[in-house]
Amino acid sequence: MFKIALLPGDGIGPEVMDQAIKVLREAAHRCGLEYTLQEGLIGGNAVDATGEPLPAETGQLVLQSDAVLLGAIGGPKWDGLPVEKRPEKGLLDIRKKLGLYANLRPVKCWPQLIDQSPFKREIVDGVDLLVVRELIGGAYFGARGTQDCGNEIKAYDTIEYSSSEIKRILQVAIDMARQRGGKLTLVDKANVLDTSRLWRRITGEMLAECPDIQTDYVYVDNCAMQLCRKPGQFDVIVTENMFGDILSDQASVLGASLGMLPSASTGEGPALFEPAHGSAPDIAGEDKANPIAAILSVAMMLRIVCHEKKAADEIESAVNKVLDRGLRTDDIMSEGKERVGTKAMGEAIVEELISM
Ligand code: IPM
Ligand code: MG
């Protein structure tokens, strides 16, 4: 029995997860996967209910699961809270607690949505890349502080990486490159940072043993530019935590809408799957959100943790079919297409699965 912890979170989180669960139910039924679902609190709603963004009970729940499905967290209601109580803290804590060091963010330009992209068609056509972001090291978790020095206030955050932290994330990126186009790009700032120089050295050593993989080294500023200029050159991008945070948001624009982008975070224990978008409080509860990112996150879970490749492929193909049929939520709407809500989009994808 496969144990799933369901953490719908805040804003549009619960409504996109409702649709993702409908799709999971049908996909699991088709492949004979047996699972249990247990719900927990995280983020702003958890703060309201318990005073903590990641209550102890949720911590227990996720540790006892095989996988975690998360909606989204945060909203203006909680923006004024001290750092320790902010919804984001719940997300950072769950990453650390589960040791989720590898964050996988695939970005693909869906041909049906190519004209939705703010980029010219010839730039985004065929884009299919994966950002592998280190998720529990670097500036996010290094020593930090704020010091009052009388007439000045000084604050600092430190980036630290050990060779073992770098090796384990590189191994994930190498495995991914092997499963994909065989090309790996290390993104760093090795012309300035010591941590980057260590990443580069270890990458050189590890990749020397992998003649099947084509390796590239690109500085992060140049990578930001290349992602807009010629994104088709990238297959797998591997990078440290903060560079990955920034570049994955930038790369997401190549895929027409954040509402189409799933993500997975893996480590030694249970893995976590979540749409790449945020909680979009401005449209929460209005049946306007795009559930496809959440639905594709379920597909990633089936593929990565349950080893149900066929079920995952079927979900992706059902999404393709509803896009072919012209169904569009607000974020991907264009002239001549059929505007649908969150629920109708989820149900149309389930119908496609049933008819396969
Ligand atoms: C992300 C988000 C988070 C991050 C925030 C919400 C803490 O931007 O998942 O990319 O910076 O990692
Ligand atoms: Mg981010």
Side-chain angles (χ1 to χ4, degrees), residues 141-267:
F141 294 94
R144 72 183 58 196
T146 306
Q147 289 161 356
D148 198 337
C149 315
N151 55 350
E152 275 271 68
I153 303 173
K154 205 175 137 189
Y156 63 95
D157 300 277
T158 14
I159 305 175
E160 283 178 44
Y161 275 106
S162 65
S163 48
S164 58
E165 286 174 313
I166 300 170
K167 279 183 191 152
R168 64 184 184 182
I169 183 80
L170 279 172
Q171 192 55 56
V172 172
I174 290 169
D175 293 345
M176 288 295 144
R178 282 209 170 105
Q179 288 170 31
R180 297 172 45 99
K183 191 173 169 199
L184 183 63
T185 305
L186 172 68
V187 173
D188 63 23
K189 190 73 189 173
N191 48 347
V192 178
L193 302 175
D194 260 19
T195 42
S196 287
R197 286 190 272 268
L198 183 59
W199 275 74
R200 229 175 236 229
R201 192 168 106 200
I202 293 172
T203 306
E205 286 163 13
M206 284 178 77
L207 270 297
E209 313 283 310
C210 309
D212 53 324
I213 293 179
Q214 185 196 337
T215 318
D216 252 358
Y217 300 87
V218 177
Y219 295 142
V220 62
D221 46 352
N222 184 24
C223 180
M225 192 250 281
Q226 296 298 337
L227 274 171
C228 302
R229 203 183 67 89
K230 212 177 153 208
Q233 67 185 288
F234 296 110
D235 177 13
V236 176
I237 290 176
V238 63
T239 190
E240 65 104 66
N241 201 346
M242 180 128 73
F243 296 161
D245 177 44
I246 299 167
L247 292 178
S248 62
D249 260 34
Q250 189 190 340
S252 76
V253 186
L254 303 165
S257 166
L258 260 177
M260 297 295 298
L261 299 180
S263 81
S265 302
T266 66

Side-chain angles (χ1 to χ4, degrees), residues 8-16 44-45 72-75 78 278-286 289:
D10 307 319
I12 59 169
E15 53 197 296
V16 296
N45 287 312
I73 53 131
W78 305 283
S279 60
D282 52 324
I283 56 163
E286 292 182 16

Side-chain angles (χ1 to χ4, degrees), residues 62-346:
V62 296
L63 283 172
Q64 289 160 5
S65 320
D66 298 305
V68 181
L69 282 174
L70 192 144
I73 53 131
K77 183 176 175 197
W78 305 283
D79 278 351
L81 293 174
V83 177
E84 286 300 304
K85 299 282 174 196
R86 285 181 62 121
E88 290 82 354
K89 182 74 170 53
L91 195 57
L92 297 176
D93 283 355
I94 202 172
R95 288 174 181 169
K96 197 71 176 177
K97 193 174 199 80
L98 296 179
L100 301 174
Y101 60 83
N103 181 220
L104 312 179
R105 297 185 168 181
V107 177
K108 149 170 163 173
C109 173
W110 295 77
Q112 301 93 329
L113 305 178
I114 196 163
D115 294 320
Q116 261 23 63
S117 169
F119 287 93
K120 283 188 199 137
R121 177 177 264 269
E122 59 269 28
I123 291 194
V124 284
D125 193 16
V127 163
D128 184 354
L129 60 85
L130 173 71
V131 179
V132 177
R133 167 188 176 194
E134 199 291 326
L135 202 59
I136 51 172
Y140 277 63
F141 294 94
R144 72 183 58 196
T146 306
Q147 289 161 356
D148 198 337
C149 315
N151 55 350
E152 275 271 68
I153 303 173
K154 205 175 137 189
Y156 63 95
D157 300 277
T158 14
I159 305 175
E160 283 178 44
Y161 275 106
S162 65
S163 48
S164 58
E165 286 174 313
I166 300 170
K167 279 183 191 152
R168 64 184 184 182
I169 183 80
L170 279 172
Q171 192 55 56
V172 172
I174 290 169
D175 293 345
M176 288 295 144
R178 282 209 170 105
Q179 288 170 31
R180 297 172 45 99
K183 191 173 169 199
L184 183 63
T185 305
L186 172 68
V187 173
D188 63 23
K189 190 73 189 173
N191 48 347
V192 178
L193 302 175
D194 260 19
T195 42
S196 287
R197 286 190 272 268
L198 183 59
W199 275 74
R200 229 175 236 229
R201 192 168 106 200
I202 293 172
T203 306
E205 286 163 13
M206 284 178 77
L207 270 297
E209 313 283 310
C210 309
D212 53 324
I213 293 179
Q214 185 196 337
T215 318
D216 252 358
Y217 300 87
V218 177
Y219 295 142
V220 62
D221 46 352
N222 184 24
C223 180
M225 192 250 281
Q226 296 298 337
L227 274 171
C228 302
R229 203 183 67 89
K230 212 177 153 208
Q233 67 185 288
F234 296 110
D235 177 13
V236 176
I237 290 176
V238 63
T239 190
E240 65 104 66
N241 201 346
M242 180 128 73
F243 296 161
D245 177 44
I246 299 167
L247 292 178
S248 62
D249 260 34
Q250 189 190 340
S252 76
V253 186
L254 303 165
S257 166
L258 260 177
M260 297 295 298
L261 299 180
S263 81
S265 302
T266 66
E268 311 293 345
L272 182 146
F273 300 84
E274 60 178 321
H277 58 70
S279 60
D282 52 324
I283 56 163
E286 292 182 16
D287 194 42
K288 280 190 181 156
N290 186 347
I292 294 180
I295 289 167
L296 293 173
S297 300
V298 166
M300 285 187 94
M301 177 185 81
L302 290 170
R303 191 187 305 280
I304 296 174
V305 193
C306 312
H307 306 290
E308 295 287 356
K309 180 179 179 314
K310 182 159 174 274
D313 286 348
E314 284 177 350
I315 293 178
E316 283 160 12
S317 128
V319 169
N320 240 311
K321 289 199 172 135
V322 298
L323 294 178
D324 284 343
R325 272 168 52 197
L327 270 52
R328 301 282 188 273
T329 41
D330 253 7
D331 57 317
I332 50 175
M333 182 61 192
S334 61
E335 218 185 305
K337 303 298 177 197
E338 184 186 343
R339 189 188 298 267
V340 294
T342 312
K343 217 165 151 248
M345 181 60 100

